[in-house]
């Protein structure tokens, strides 16, 4: 099986229900993720966010448009000061108990017939290393946590090659 990096797009962070959310989009399409898929994922996002627990309300999401009909939404939220909470959803992927192949009809990945305690594929995991380091650098290491600094510290648009920010050839 040949491996190829995918494109990584980094839209501006958003705020939903008082939670600051950094966003990453992963796709093999140079044009990015279709707007209707992004809108559908954004509509489900509030349901995937944990309740506040005193930790600065920050999350990051990875929206991945697969090479087939699938779309995947991984939501990682900081909790308990230094723990990463995960919630996921998928659309257009019947193998994950989605009702059809519509990439805009997201369903939460809990209570499926099969255990799918997955946190992401190799392309979706690219932002995890960066986000861990950024959380430590801006929120845990300083005497005073710097939430604006954390929110401004994202991978660059480029590819999923961790930290490269480079553009895929071709």
């Amino acid at each position: 099986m040949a491996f190829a990096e995918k494109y990584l797009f980094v839209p501006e962070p958003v705020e939903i229900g008082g939670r600051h959310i950094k966003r990453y989009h992963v796709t093999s399409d140079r044009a990015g993720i279709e707007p209707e898929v992004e809108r559908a994922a954004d509509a489900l996002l509030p349901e995937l966010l944990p309740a506040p627990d005193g930790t600065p309300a920050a999350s990051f999401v990875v929206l991945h448009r697969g090479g087939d009909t699938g779309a995947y939404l991984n939501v990682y939220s900081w909790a308990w000061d230094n723990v990463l909470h995960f919630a996921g959803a998928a659309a257009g992927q019947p193998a994950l108990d989605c009702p059809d192949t519509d990439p805009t009809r997201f369903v939460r990945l809990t209570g499926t017939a099969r255990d799918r305690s997955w946190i992401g594929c190799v392309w979706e995991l690219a932002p995890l290393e960066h986000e861990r380091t950024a959380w430590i650098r801006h929120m845990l290491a300083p005497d005073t946590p710097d939430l604006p600094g954390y929110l401004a510290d994202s991978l660059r648009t480029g590819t999923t090659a961790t930290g490269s920010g480079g553009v895929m050839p071709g």
Side-chain angles (χ1 to χ4, degrees):
M1 174 177 225
F3 174 78
E5 295 291 352
K6 291 188 177 187
Y7 293 102
L8 178 72
F9 296 91
V10 186
E12 289 294 316
V14 294
E15 187 176 333
I16 296 176
R19 184 169 282 277
H20 303 278
I21 303 169
K22 295 165 70 170
R23 301 181 298 157
Y24 295 98
H25 290 179
V26 173
T27 180
S28 56
D29 186 342
R30 288 179 184 268
I33 291 179
E34 305 97 312
E36 60 273 15
V37 172
E38 182 179 5
R39 282 191 299 273
D42 287 349
L44 183 64
L45 191 52
E47 295 177 36
L48 301 175
L49 298 170
D53 71 351
T55 301
S59 301
F60 61 98
V61 302
V62 179
L63 177 58
H64 179 190
R65 186 67 164 93
D68 54 12
T69 58
Y72 312 94
L73 178 61
N74 296 339
V75 181
Y76 306 94
S77 298
W78 292 105
W80 212 30
D81 294 327
N82 59 16
V83 173
L84 203 51
H85 172 276
F86 173 78
Q93 185 53 265
L96 295 179
D97 300 326
C98 295
D100 53 37
T101 58
D102 180 351
T104 66
R105 191 177 300 173
F106 281 90
V107 295
R108 192 170 183 164
L109 292 177
T110 58
T112 60
R114 296 169 291 274
D115 178 23
R116 295 277 166 55
S117 302
W118 303 338
I119 63 166
C121 72
V122 295
W123 299 284
E124 296 161 355
L125 294 176
L128 277 172
E129 179 181 11
H130 175 84
E131 291 300 322
R132 175 194 179 271
T133 302
W135 188 256
I136 292 168
R137 179 175 35 251
H138 297 287
M139 301 301 292
L140 300 178
D143 291 335
T144 303
D146 177 15
L147 184 58
Y150 170 74
L151 296 173
D153 189 344
S154 295
L155 286 172
R156 296 178 302 159
T157 292
T159 70
T160 52
T162 303
S164 75
V167 176
M168 288 191 328

